[in-house]
Amino acid sequence: DTAVSQTPKYLVTQMGNDKSIKCEQNLGHDTMYWYKQDSKKFLKIMFSYNNKELIINETVPNRFSPKSPDKAHLNLHINSLELGDSAVYFCASSPRLDWDLTDTQYFGPGTRLTVL
Amino acid sequence: GQQVMQIPQYQHVQEGEDFTTYCNSSTTLSNIQWYKQRPGGHPVFLIQLVKSGEVKKQKRLTFQFGEAKKNSSLHITATQTTDVGTYFCAGPETGANNLFFGTGTRLTVIP
């Protein structure tokens, strides 16, 4: 009955590979996000999806592409992995996108990506 | 660009001592949220403040939103080892609807 789940929890891979991280939420939320947390614990938003539409695309390399097959899923695909991509990636969701009041975000457990 | 800074970056306290982290935004925020991330865990929502000067309490935790809505603080009274973790403030990014997270304060409680 996990609210926001991610797989895998750990991912170790070689430079140049392509990998995907999956995220699912069973909260019925409209908006999902991907965050990157670096070794200094800084949390930076990468993408958000609202009703299957990409609404925010931060200045991340185009090697990163979010894919949302439906409202409950937002997967992150990464091409040609680089050493600097090593980080913890968190998926999150929120009930809606409200211009007046930012919603509380519910985070998944995170995926620790290590690029060798 | 918009910045949300927190001080201190790190804090070590003896169990039973008080702890405060301060959050300062370069822009006025419509609201501010606080999250706690335990070591090895994920951020978990603690509270949201909306009104200027608002103060909210959760047991030993006291949250305050500044009058100008550009700063906030979290105060923990009589820390316990279970308080260990990184505390983040977060506010809406200007012109967008995503959260902009602060730099975080990592709290260590020495038993």
Side-chain angles (χ1 to χ4, degrees):
Chain A
D1 58 348
T2 305
V4 182
S5 59
Q6 291 179 232
T7 54
K9 190 170 173 62
Y10 300 96
L11 185 53
V12 181
T13 188
Q14 298 284 338
M15 262 174 49
N17 284 350
D18 302 340
K19 290 293 178 185
S20 291
I21 306 172
K22 294 185 176 180
C23 177
E24 176 181 3
Q25 54 96 2
N26 62 8
L27 298 166
H29 287 171
D30 284 339
T31 310
M32 296 182 72
Y33 309 81
W34 276 105
Y35 287 86
K36 179 181 180 181
Q37 187 171 47
D38 61 24
S39 57
K40 294 184 178 179
K41 296 290 191 182
F42 295 140
L43 261 174
K44 295 278 179 63
I45 189 164
M46 300 176 71
F47 303 103
S48 66
Y49 254 72
N50 179 254
N51 287 330
K52 292 171 65 176
E53 257 186 88
L54 178 66
I55 54 171
I56 299 170
N57 186 347
E58 290 296 312
T59 54
V60 299
N62 57 15
R63 299 180 295 103
F64 292 79
S65 54
K67 297 191 192 311
S68 180
D70 55 58
K71 198 172 84 166
H73 296 84
L74 182 64
N75 304 324
L76 182 65
H77 189 74
I78 316 169
N79 289 327
S80 303
L81 278 155
E82 300 177 358
L83 293 176
D85 297 333
S86 295
V88 179
Y89 292 84
F90 288 102
C91 176
S93 72
S94 63
R96 61 188 178 278
L97 199 66
D98 192 323
W99 285 102
D100 295 324
L101 199 67
T102 308
D103 271 323
T104 301
Q105 305 211 350
Y106 296 80
F107 283 80
T111 296
R112 183 175 292 277
L113 171 64
T114 303
V115 183
L116 304 174
Chain B
Q2 183 176 3
Q3 291 187 7
V4 180
M5 303 296 293
Q6 285 181 248
I7 53 171
Q9 192 175 355
Y10 303 95
Q11 183 79 60
H12 292 71
V13 299
Q14 288 288 142
E15 189 172 16
E17 290 182 341
D18 293 355
F19 158 77
T20 304
T21 172
Y22 299 91
C23 175
N24 296 290
S25 170
S26 58
T27 59
T28 302
L29 301 171
S30 60
N31 68 86
I32 195 155
Q33 300 182 15
W34 283 91
Y35 290 77
K36 176 184 177 182
Q37 184 178 17
R38 293 181 186 272
H42 58 278
V44 174
F45 173 79
L46 292 177
I47 208 159
Q48 182 176 45
L49 304 168
V50 179
K51 299 176 185 175
S52 169
E54 188 171 11
V55 178
K56 285 188 177 180
K57 292 192 176 187
Q58 287 180 351
K59 298 183 181 177
R60 295 179 295 105
L61 278 60
T62 302
F63 303 83
Q64 189 167 8
F65 200 9
E67 294 289 341
K69 302 182 81 171
K70 292 181 75 172
N71 55 65
S72 181
S73 64
L74 157 59
H75 179 81
I76 303 178
T77 305
T79 54
Q80 299 175 359
T81 54
T82 52
D83 296 326
V84 164
T86 301
Y87 292 84
F88 293 96
C89 62
E93 185 172 353
T94 304
N97 277 302
N98 54 285
L99 281 181
F100 196 94
F101 278 79
T103 47
T105 295
R106 193 178 304 186
L107 173 65
T108 301
V109 179
I110 305 163

